[in-house]
Each structure stands twice: as C-alpha cells, then as structure tokens.
C-alpha cells in the first residue's frame, strides 16, 4: 500500500514553518502533550467560528497562543469577555495536565483572516458545515470551488469528499478539481485543509488543496 503524505509536512523546513516554536528543550514530551491538548480544546470550543489555525509560542515564563480566525469578533466577545472566559478554561485545563505547581503566564491573541476563501482549512470547514445541513454535496463543492477560484492568487483547487455521500448505504469517495495543482513540486505553494462533517447518517471527510503558484 502507498503512503500519502500531507502537503504541509512534506514542505516543513523548506518552504513552510512549524506552528509551534520556542523553548521546548527542557521537557519536550510534556510541552508536546500540552500543545496537543491546547489545540484539541480550542478546536472543540471554537468549532463554529472559523478557526484557520492555532500557533503556539513558548518563552521562558510565558505561553502565547495565536488564534487565526475569519470571525474574530465572536471569539473576543463584548468587552473581551469571550477571550477572558476562554483563558480561564484553558488555565484550568493546563493545571490538570501540569506536573509541577508553577504555571506559566498565558497570553491569547486573536488575528483576523481577511479572506477565508484563500484558506484551505476554512474552505473545508464551510463545506463540512453545509454537508451537515444535508445539502447536495456536488452543489456545495462546486460553489466552494467557484468562490475560491475567483481570487487571483489561486491557480487551482481540489476538493475531495469521502463517506456516505447524500446518505447512501455504500460509502464512496469523489474529488473535484479546477485549474492546475503541482503537488509533486516542493516549491509549489499548496495550502491543505481537512475537516469532518458529522452528519446524522455518518461522518464525511473533506479534504481541500489550494494551489497558489510557486514559492522560492
């Protein structure tokens, strides 16, 4: 069987960087688990507000969390109340995982994604949310491709859906593509996104790849 590699991992260290960075040498295993739990908690808590990605930066005594979202106002809340509540819940979550009593200072920063149709992750989330409403998958995917290809930066789009499409008994997979998609070139600037649509008849996987030309 063949092994399929994520386009992002394939380019880490060459044209892309890690989403986590900072001081990890002292206790790499613990910090890695914390990063996993932080992303898991935030993705579940902010599932409906369009989170593109979560960046984590660790200094000696501070933990900075960068949340990139297409709807930052819903996360911040009135007078910053939303971020404050999110920070309190996250601190309790980390306290239960931390082995030592000393807890680092947590800082949460919200950054806006101005054009969600340039982000593969946000496009995948939009397709998944519409599939959960039981809309026809072909129409949903074609509309997403059309809205993405309108942007001048985009050279090609590929969307793959797999599962019990439209609620049929036998699961299958289909993909739709428009434009060019140079997946085999390391310098190819490809954005990758994946999301699950949790429908009443089962789970449908949505993969999105957006090609934006070459990156040197």
């Amino acid at each position: 069987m063949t092994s399929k590699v994520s386009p992002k991992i394939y380019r880490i260290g060459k044209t892309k960087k890690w989403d986590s960075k900072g001081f990890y040498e002292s206790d790499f295993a613990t910090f890695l688990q914390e990063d996993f739990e932080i992303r898991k908690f935030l993705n579940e808590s902010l599932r409906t507000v369009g989170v593109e990605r979560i960046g984590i930066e660790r200094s000696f005594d501070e933990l900075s969390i960068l949340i990139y979202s297409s709807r930052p106002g819903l996360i911040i809340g009135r007078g910053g109340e939303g971020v404050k509540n999110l920070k309190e819940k996250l601190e309790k979550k980390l306290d239960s995982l931390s082995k030592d009593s000393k807890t680092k200072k947590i800082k949460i920063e919200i950054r806006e994604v101005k054009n969600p149709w340039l982000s593969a992750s946000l496009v995948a989330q939009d397709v998944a949310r519409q599939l959960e409403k039981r809309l026809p998958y072909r129409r949903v995917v074609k509309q997403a491709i059309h809205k993405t290809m309108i942007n001048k930066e985009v050279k090609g789009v590929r969307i793959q859906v797999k599962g019990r499409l439209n609620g049929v008994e036998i699961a299958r997979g289909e993909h739709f593509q428009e434009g060019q998609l140079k997946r085999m070139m390391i310098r190819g600037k490809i954005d990758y996104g994946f999301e699950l649509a949790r429908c009443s008849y089962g789970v449908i996987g949505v993969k999105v790849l957006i090609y934006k030309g070459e990156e040197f």
Side-chain angles (χ1 to χ4, degrees):
M1 296 178 67
T2 59
S3 176
K4 297 181 180 179
V5 182
S6 167
K8 180 176 180 179
I9 296 298
Y10 189 59
R11 291 165 174 81
I12 286 288
K14 301 176 180 67
T15 59
K16 290 188 177 294
K17 299 179 180 179
W18 294 101
D19 288 333
S20 297
K21 54 186 177 181
F23 294 90
Y24 283 80
E25 293 82 0
S26 59
D27 195 349
F28 180 80
T30 301
F31 293 154
L32 182 65
Q33 183 186 5
E34 284 185 359
D35 288 0
F36 175 79
E37 294 294 339
I38 288 171
R39 288 194 171 92
K40 181 181 177 181
F41 170 78
L42 291 177
N43 284 324
E44 291 176 354
S45 302
L46 307 174
R47 186 170 178 264
T48 60
V49 296
V51 175
E52 180 192 30
R53 64 187 179 92
I54 298 170
I56 298 176
E57 297 180 1
R58 291 181 179 272
S59 63
F60 180 73
D61 58 349
E62 187 177 74
L63 176 62
S64 298
I65 301 173
L66 311 176
I67 302 176
Y68 296 82
S69 173
S70 59
R71 305 166 74 182
L74 295 179
I75 302 176
I76 297 172
R78 183 175 297 178
E81 185 178 351
V83 174
K84 183 179 178 181
N85 294 335
L86 192 65
K87 182 179 177 182
E88 291 175 354
K89 293 179 181 178
L90 189 57
E91 287 176 345
K92 292 179 181 179
K93 181 72 174 178
L94 292 180
D95 285 339
S96 63
L97 295 173
S98 180
K99 296 179 181 179
D100 54 1
S101 58
K102 185 178 179 181
T103 304
K104 289 187 175 182
K105 180 182 177 182
I106 298 177
K107 178 183 177 183
I108 297 179
E109 183 178 348
I110 313 297
R111 296 185 181 179
E112 182 181 7
V113 178
K114 294 184 178 180
N115 190 349
W117 296 106
L118 290 176
S119 169
S121 178
L122 294 178
V123 173
Q125 291 177 37
D126 181 76
V127 172
R129 298 296 89 79
Q130 294 192 61
L131 292 179
E132 290 176 348
K133 298 177 182 177
R134 305 197 71 169
L135 295 176
Y137 72 94
R138 285 193 178 92
R139 186 177 72 183
V140 171
V141 171
K142 288 180 180 179
Q143 285 179 351
I145 290 177
H146 175 70
K147 291 178 181 179
T148 305
M149 289 297 295
I150 288 177
N151 301 281
K152 295 181 179 179
E153 299 95 322
V154 178
K155 308 297 181 184
V157 185
R158 177 188 173 96
I159 299 180
Q160 177 181 323
V161 289
K162 193 171 184 180
R164 294 182 58 188
L165 304 176
N166 286 344
V168 298
E169 291 185 2
I170 300 176
R172 69 182 190 277
E174 288 191 27
H175 71 271
F176 303 82
Q177 181 173 329
E178 185 174 336
Q180 57 181 331
L181 200 70
K182 299 181 180 180
R183 289 178 287 174
M184 299 302 293
M185 298 174 60
I186 294 180
R187 66 174 180 265
K189 192 176 180 181
I190 295 180
D191 191 15
Y192 171 77
F194 174 77
E195 186 66 21
L196 292 175
R198 296 172 174 84
C199 306
S200 58
Y201 45 78
V203 176
I204 296 177
V206 181
K207 288 183 180 180
V208 177
L209 292 94
I210 300 178
Y211 177 62
K212 304 175 184 178
E214 298 182 9
E215 185 175 17
F216 298 92

